[in-house]
Amino acid sequence: MAQIVGGLATSHVPSIGIAIDRGDTQNDYWKPLFDGYLPARRWLRDIRPDLAVVIYNDHGLEVFLDKVPTFGIGTAPLYPSGDEGWGPRPLPPVPGDPASSWALVDSLVEDEFDVAMFQELQVDHGFTVPMTLLWDWQPDWPVKTVPVLVNTIQYPFPTARRCHRLGRALRRAIDRLPDDLRVVVVGTGGMSHQLQGERAGFMNPAFDRMFLDKLGPAPEELTRISRETYIREAGSEGAELIMWLVMRGAMDAAVREVHRHYHISASLTAAGLVCYENAGG
Ligand code: DHB
Ligand code: FE
């Protein structure tokens, strides 16, 4: 039987990946951000997950505006880093776990979440930046992954409540996995940021802190916030925070927060990180 050993959520800004690949993580600009990830990396080494279920949004690499599934699951054996315009990242392809992926798809569809199936999938910064922030990949990635795709790009994207319910369904699916896996659930995206239009550069630390304070003890309150309010308060791209609620839905009703970090800014984004362990219910 699989077991969830942790849940975490983190931002996924592309320039973080570039800083890692160029060895710039210790300069004055980046050190405060990367220092905030050290306790999370140590915690992951302690809880030793075999499988990471990574909830992220594709930003136009594989899912273009002409065909946009609301939810999807990668079922591939390997997920190579794609070229988002500045070349593919120099990473070994991230290993998948097709058996677990298909088992999750089966269970989700049974549970009335009709996910698109991605049998081939190149991954963008939404996936690779969290992976490279959290784990070392030399000589090999220490975890296998199941990517879970959520549309946060093309309106209408799913509601916060629907995302939380997807998390509940993912939990039932993970609990049914036949293999003895230690699973970590990773939500990505956010926190507040807007990359376009008159409000480009918009960030909202008050909203982010409220979100971080409620996500552990009172996620239902965050599920009642409308999509329009997420965009107004967190920015058009800050609405990616709905993917943190997928992770939260997969955890117990009660969680213990083991680490939190918040940093303004990484590029145009208020960067956040939170780690939870299950605490029952
Ligand atoms: C940035 C943030 C994102 O979430 C993203 O997808 C692309 C760029 C940024 O702050 O630069
Ligand atoms: Fe993004």
Side-chain angles (χ1 to χ4, degrees), residues 12-15 57 59 125 189-190 193 195 237 240 266-269:
H12 68 204
V13 180
S15 50
N57 66 295
H59 300 74
H125 68 273
H193 64 299
L195 304 177
E237 282 73 30
E240 290 171 344
S267 182
L268 296 175
T269 299

Side-chain angles (χ1 to χ4, degrees), residues 15 17 33-34 64 73 76 79 120 124 158 161 175 212 223 228 231 238 245-246 261 271:
S15 50
L33 176 100
F34 284 96
F64 201 59
I73 297 236
Y79 300 101
E120 290 181 2
D124 73 5
R161 191 168 78 143
D175 284 346
L212 283 166
T223 68
E228 293 73 17
I231 291 173
L245 285 165
V246 181
H261 182 65

Side-chain angles (χ1 to χ4, degrees), residues 137-216:
W137 58 94
Q138 307 283 13
D140 267 321
W141 288 100
V143 280
K144 295 182 176 183
T145 60
V146 174
V148 177
L149 294 95
V150 176
N151 166 38
T152 64
I153 300 278
Q154 168 71 57
Y155 203 84
F157 55 79
T159 61
R161 191 168 78 143
R162 184 76 175 146
C163 287
H164 189 252
R165 287 186 177 173
L166 172 65
R168 305 295 309 141
L170 262 177
R171 171 59 178 273
R172 289 187 286 275
I174 292 167
D175 284 346
R176 288 177 190 152
L177 285 175
D179 294 332
D180 231 358
L181 295 167
R182 297 171 67 81
V183 180
V184 65
V185 183
V186 180
T188 75
M191 300 192 84
S192 60
H193 64 299
Q194 173 143 344
L195 304 177
Q196 52 191 311
E198 282 178 16
R199 291 206 310 167
F202 171 82
M203 286 173 245
N204 186 350
F207 182 85
D208 291 336
R209 290 197 191 279
M210 180 282 295
F211 189 94
L212 283 166
D213 287 343
K214 301 240 156 148
L215 185 64

Side-chain angles (χ1 to χ4, degrees), residues 243-260:
M243 295 183 292
W244 292 36
L245 285 165
V246 181
M247 175 281 290
R248 183 64 188 86
M251 299 296 286
D252 285 357
V255 290
R256 188 169 44 251
E257 184 176 312
V258 295
H259 179 58
R260 182 197 288 202

